Amino acid sequence: GTYCGLTIRGGHVLMEPGTYFIQGDPMEISRKATVTAEGVTIIFTGAGSYLRVNDQARFRLTAPTSGDLAGFALSETRDTSSKKGKKAVVSRLTGAGRLSMVGLIYLPTQNFMVSGAGAGSQSSPLLQIVANEISLRDSGLLKIDFKPGQTSVPVLIAPSREARLVE
């Protein structure tokens, strides 16, 4: 479905498998909410569309294993970048928010930030990130245990055991 933003505060939410378009506003998970999404691709579309996981919330996302979007967990369309001359959109984990994901985060025009005790606690076998910028600040943590043979989610970018840092 298509949603003009999506806010989940508290409680436990189970997302049905499929593709979710978040249009023009953020997807925010907060206030100790727990969201579980298996076989799900979330696509951000339109300026102002991004992800926030904070306030001790938990977000467990596993990409689909088949179909056109197999392997994509989070993605964006070309129109999510901010207007010319403005700062890039920032998807972030903060305030003890936790993300556990299997698949590809593809946000090439957005910055991906982990800060303030936010964590990408990755004991799952596959997490790949394409972002304009990846930032770890304060006590933010990003841990990846890359073992793609332990999941049926396809690897979309051939691993090369290297990181590329751009100033």
Side-chain angles (χ1 to χ4, degrees):
T2 300
Y3 301 87
C4 294
L6 184 60
T7 301
I8 301 168
R9 293 186 179 132
H12 298 279
V13 174
L14 176 63
M15 296 175 76
E16 293 291 323
T19 305
Y20 294 75
F21 291 89
I22 308 298
Q23 184 174 6
D25 277 313
M27 177 177 182
E28 296 184 84
I29 304 169
S30 63
R31 296 188 184 161
K32 298 183 181 181
T34 298
V35 177
T36 303
E38 292 191 21
V40 169
T41 299
I42 296 171
I43 300 175
F44 299 105
T45 180
S49 183
Y50 53 84
L51 175 67
R52 287 285 197 281
V53 180
N54 57 34
D55 196 16
Q56 300 180 26
R58 305 288 182 262
F59 187 27
R60 295 182 190 102
L61 176 61
T62 303
T65 58
S66 62
D68 292 340
L69 295 172
F72 283 95
L74 295 176
S75 189
E76 68 177 359
T77 59
R78 293 180 182 174
D79 63 351
T80 59
S81 61
S82 56
K83 294 185 168 105
K84 192 174 182 176
K86 295 195 177 191
K87 292 183 179 181
V89 173
V90 179
S91 284
R92 83 177 63 206
L93 303 172
T94 190
R98 298 281 186 262
L99 175 69
S100 180
M101 186 175 300
V102 178
L104 174 66
I105 296 175
Y106 185 75
L107 304 172
T109 68
Q110 294 189 27
N111 293 345
F112 187 77
M113 180 185 292
V114 182
S115 66
S121 175
Q122 201 57 31
S123 60
S124 65
L126 173 61
L127 176 63
Q128 296 180 299
I129 303 172
V130 174
N132 178 57
E133 180 180 298
I134 299 171
S135 300
L136 299 174
R137 296 184 181 174
D138 305 320
S139 56
L141 173 69
L142 183 61
K143 178 182 173 189
I144 302 169
D145 187 12
F146 192 75
K147 295 178 184 172
Q150 294 182 357
T151 180
S152 55
V153 173
V155 175
L156 295 177
I157 301 170
S160 62
R161 295 285 184 204
E162 65 183 51
R164 183 176 53 154
L165 301 177
V166 180
E167 202 171 328

